[in-house]
Amino acid sequence: VADSANGEILLSDSAWPGYSHIPFLVMEGYTVMAEEMRAGFQAEDLWPTHVFLQAGVGGLAAAITSHIRGLWPHQPAITVVEPDAAACLMESHRRETLTEVAGPVSSMGRLDCKLPSTLAFDILHRQADQFVCISDLDAGRAVEFLATHQLRTTPSGAAGMAAVLAATERDLEIPENAVCLALVTEAETCQIQADPPQHGHPPPPLSITASAAFAFCSAVRLVSATKEALPSVRGSSEFIATSCPK
């Protein structure tokens, strides 16, 4: 969508009627992550049985889901994870039509979207297995958990992991022999400060996410987990985390 006044172009992963080509291309870019994971799992001959994908408008979740359904030889159960303050995809799926929701502001800011992308909804409505909501408290707990495994992220970045941690509370069945995959999609927020203005009064710090340095993707593979590490998941015990190179 070009601004006729200044020639600016809107690049968004959310599609709506009359605006779908650019979101399609952005979503196509997301599939690079899915292909890198597919190649890694293929090389190790180890495939996830359950995949947890956080969603705002659903662009990333839909792109990864579409790639999995089309190209992975072993098909996992796919769960879409949303803030309980913005469960637009879950509600749209339940009603079988694109639905806007209302709700309070969530700490999962990048996922706090009240209306799904038309492209994403079409894919996830057909190809995802289930939808689940998590609370801000769940997301905060996942941030703390991932930090103990040297993955420092935001509530939005930790949302998929939060669903795994809260599986019992959210009535998600994860068998003892499950191999769960979640994506950590953001680095933790850092604070930067611009140069002080001329009059000597420093501006407030600017909050930014370091997603670029984090390469937008850290794949967290839960081969299995102890009750001490993941209270909601039964079974014995190893946690493997790998992050994308910068």
Side-chain angles (χ1 to χ4, degrees), residues 200-219:
H201 298 289
L206 302 174
S207 178
I208 64 169
T209 55
S211 298
F214 206 63
F216 192 65
C217 156
S218 289

mmCIF file of all heavy atoms in Angstrom, residues 200-219:
data_model
loop_
_atom_site.group_PDB
_atom_site.id
_atom_site.type_symbol
_atom_site.label_atom_id
_atom_site.label_comp_id
_atom_site.label_asym_id
_atom_site.label_seq_id
_atom_site.Cartn_x
_atom_site.Cartn_y
_atom_site.Cartn_z
ATOM 1 N N GLY A 200 20.210 20.334 27.267
ATOM 2 C CA GLY A 200 20.792 19.576 28.362
ATOM 3 C C GLY A 200 19.843 18.694 29.136
ATOM 4 O O GLY A 200 20.219 18.101 30.141
ATOM 5 N N HIS A 201 18.608 18.605 28.689
ATOM 6 C CA HIS A 201 17.657 17.732 29.375
ATOM 7 C C HIS A 201 17.586 16.411 28.624
ATOM 8 O O HIS A 201 17.077 16.363 27.499
ATOM 9 C CB HIS A 201 16.279 18.380 29.438
ATOM 10 C CG HIS A 201 16.260 19.659 30.200
ATOM 11 N ND1 HIS A 201 16.411 19.703 31.558
ATOM 12 C CD2 HIS A 201 16.141 20.945 29.780
ATOM 13 C CE1 HIS A 201 16.363 20.968 31.964
ATOM 14 N NE2 HIS A 201 16.218 21.739 30.891
ATOM 15 N N PRO A 202 18.099 15.324 29.199
ATOM 16 C CA PRO A 202 18.127 14.063 28.452
ATOM 17 C C PRO A 202 16.719 13.538 28.202
ATOM 18 O O PRO A 202 15.840 13.675 29.054
ATOM 19 C CB PRO A 202 18.902 13.115 29.380
ATOM 20 C CG PRO A 202 18.752 13.709 30.732
ATOM 21 C CD PRO A 202 18.663 15.197 30.543
ATOM 22 N N PRO A 203 16.497 12.971 27.043
ATOM 23 C CA PRO A 203 15.179 12.399 26.740
ATOM 24 C C PRO A 203 14.996 11.101 27.505
ATOM 25 O O PRO A 203 15.957 10.515 28.001
ATOM 26 C CB PRO A 203 15.259 12.137 25.232
ATOM 27 C CG PRO A 203 16.715 11.850 25.003
ATOM 28 C CD PRO A 203 17.458 12.755 25.961
ATOM 29 N N PRO A 204 13.773 10.635 27.628
ATOM 30 C CA PRO A 204 13.566 9.330 28.273
ATOM 31 C C PRO A 204 14.170 8.229 27.419
ATOM 32 O O PRO A 204 14.293 8.366 26.203
ATOM 33 C CB PRO A 204 12.038 9.199 28.324
ATOM 34 C CG PRO A 204 11.549 10.093 27.239
ATOM 35 C CD PRO A 204 12.516 11.243 27.171
ATOM 36 N N PRO A 205 14.573 7.111 28.058
ATOM 37 C CA PRO A 205 15.135 6.001 27.275
ATOM 38 C C PRO A 205 14.136 5.498 26.254
ATOM 39 O O PRO A 205 12.924 5.562 26.457
ATOM 40 C CB PRO A 205 15.425 4.936 28.347
ATOM 41 C CG PRO A 205 15.472 5.672 29.633
ATOM 42 C CD PRO A 205 14.530 6.832 29.480
ATOM 43 N N LEU A 206 14.636 5.002 25.155
ATOM 44 C CA LEU A 206 13.814 4.406 24.118
ATOM 45 C C LEU A 206 13.844 2.898 24.291
ATOM 46 O O LEU A 206 14.904 2.300 24.407
ATOM 47 C CB LEU A 206 14.341 4.781 22.733
ATOM 48 C CG LEU A 206 14.434 6.281 22.434
ATOM 49 C CD1 LEU A 206 15.096 6.494 21.087
ATOM 50 C CD2 LEU A 206 13.051 6.910 22.447
ATOM 51 N N SER A 207 12.691 2.281 24.332
ATOM 52 C CA SER A 207 12.623 0.837 24.495
ATOM 53 C C SER A 207 12.622 0.182 23.123
ATOM 54 O O SER A 207 11.800 0.513 22.272
ATOM 55 C CB SER A 207 11.353 0.451 25.252
ATOM 56 O OG SER A 207 11.257 -0.943 25.380
ATOM 57 N N ILE A 208 13.554 -0.712 22.884
ATOM 58 C CA ILE A 208 13.614 -1.406 21.598
ATOM 59 C C ILE A 208 13.768 -2.894 21.855
ATOM 60 O O ILE A 208 14.190 -3.325 22.924
ATOM 61 C CB ILE A 208 14.789 -0.917 20.729
ATOM 62 C CG1 ILE A 208 16.137 -1.248 21.414
ATOM 63 C CG2 ILE A 208 14.696 0.560 20.447
ATOM 64 C CD1 ILE A 208 17.316 -1.047 20.519
ATOM 65 N N THR A 209 13.422 -3.687 20.874
ATOM 66 C CA THR A 209 13.705 -5.113 20.951
ATOM 67 C C THR A 209 14.900 -5.417 20.077
ATOM 68 O O THR A 209 15.063 -4.845 19.004
ATOM 69 C CB THR A 209 12.503 -5.961 20.478
ATOM 70 O OG1 THR A 209 12.151 -5.549 19.170
ATOM 71 C CG2 THR A 209 11.318 -5.781 21.411
ATOM 72 N N ALA A 210 15.725 -6.322 20.549
ATOM 73 C CA ALA A 210 16.952 -6.652 19.826
ATOM 74 C C ALA A 210 16.737 -7.851 18.920
ATOM 75 O O ALA A 210 17.575 -8.720 18.805
ATOM 76 C CB ALA A 210 18.067 -6.923 20.829
ATOM 77 N N SER A 211 15.596 -7.903 18.276
ATOM 78 C CA SER A 211 15.273 -9.062 17.449
ATOM 79 C C SER A 211 16.272 -9.259 16.322
ATOM 80 O O SER A 211 16.563 -10.384 15.926
ATOM 81 C CB SER A 211 13.868 -8.906 16.858
ATOM 82 O OG SER A 211 12.905 -8.848 17.880
ATOM 83 N N ALA A 212 16.792 -8.149 15.775
ATOM 84 C CA ALA A 212 17.725 -8.283 14.661
ATOM 85 C C ALA A 212 18.978 -9.022 15.096
ATOM 86 O O ALA A 212 19.449 -9.940 14.429
ATOM 87 C CB ALA A 212 18.076 -6.907 14.110
ATOM 88 N N ALA A 213 19.514 -8.639 16.251
ATOM 89 C CA ALA A 213 20.709 -9.312 16.751
ATOM 90 C C ALA A 213 20.409 -10.761 17.108
ATOM 91 O O ALA A 213 21.274 -11.627 17.047
ATOM 92 C CB ALA A 213 21.251 -8.578 17.977
ATOM 93 N N PHE A 214 19.179 -11.004 17.469
ATOM 94 C CA PHE A 214 18.770 -12.350 17.872
ATOM 95 C C PHE A 214 18.371 -13.194 16.667
ATOM 96 O O PHE A 214 17.999 -14.341 16.805
ATOM 97 C CB PHE A 214 17.585 -12.222 18.826
ATOM 98 C CG PHE A 214 17.436 -13.381 19.771
ATOM 99 C CD1 PHE A 214 18.418 -13.668 20.697
ATOM 100 C CD2 PHE A 214 16.300 -14.160 19.755
ATOM 101 C CE1 PHE A 214 18.261 -14.704 21.592
ATOM 102 C CE2 PHE A 214 16.141 -15.196 20.649
ATOM 103 C CZ PHE A 214 17.121 -15.474 21.571
ATOM 104 N N ALA A 215 18.426 -12.586 15.494
ATOM 105 C CA ALA A 215 18.094 -13.248 14.230
ATOM 106 C C ALA A 215 16.638 -13.708 14.178
ATOM 107 O O ALA A 215 16.295 -14.619 13.447
ATOM 108 C CB ALA A 215 19.017 -14.429 13.974
ATOM 109 N N PHE A 216 15.774 -13.072 14.997
ATOM 110 C CA PHE A 216 14.332 -13.274 15.010
ATOM 111 C C PHE A 216 13.917 -14.676 15.420
ATOM 112 O O PHE A 216 12.748 -14.970 15.536
ATOM 113 C CB PHE A 216 13.738 -12.947 13.637
ATOM 114 C CG PHE A 216 12.243 -12.863 13.660
ATOM 115 C CD1 PHE A 216 11.619 -11.878 14.386
ATOM 116 C CD2 PHE A 216 11.463 -13.780 12.984
ATOM 117 C CE1 PHE A 216 10.241 -11.789 14.431
ATOM 118 C CE2 PHE A 216 10.086 -13.698 13.029
ATOM 119 C CZ PHE A 216 9.472 -12.691 13.749
ATOM 120 N N CYS A 217 14.861 -15.565 15.623
ATOM 121 C CA CYS A 217 14.462 -16.944 15.844
ATOM 122 C C CYS A 217 15.413 -17.646 16.774
ATOM 123 O O CYS A 217 16.599 -17.624 16.567
ATOM 124 C CB CYS A 217 14.420 -17.686 14.507
ATOM 125 S SG CYS A 217 14.609 -19.462 14.622
ATOM 126 N N SER A 218 14.901 -18.222 17.841
ATOM 127 C CA SER A 218 15.648 -19.217 18.592
ATOM 128 C C SER A 218 14.745 -20.433 18.709
ATOM 129 O O SER A 218 13.633 -20.319 19.190
ATOM 130 C CB SER A 218 16.003 -18.707 19.985
ATOM 131 O OG SER A 218 16.978 -17.701 19.906
ATOM 132 N N ALA A 219 15.198 -21.540 18.235
ATOM 133 C CA ALA A 219 14.385 -22.747 18.302
ATOM 134 C C ALA A 219 14.644 -23.423 19.633
ATOM 135 O O ALA A 219 15.769 -23.715 19.974
ATOM 136 C CB ALA A 219 14.744 -23.687 17.163
#
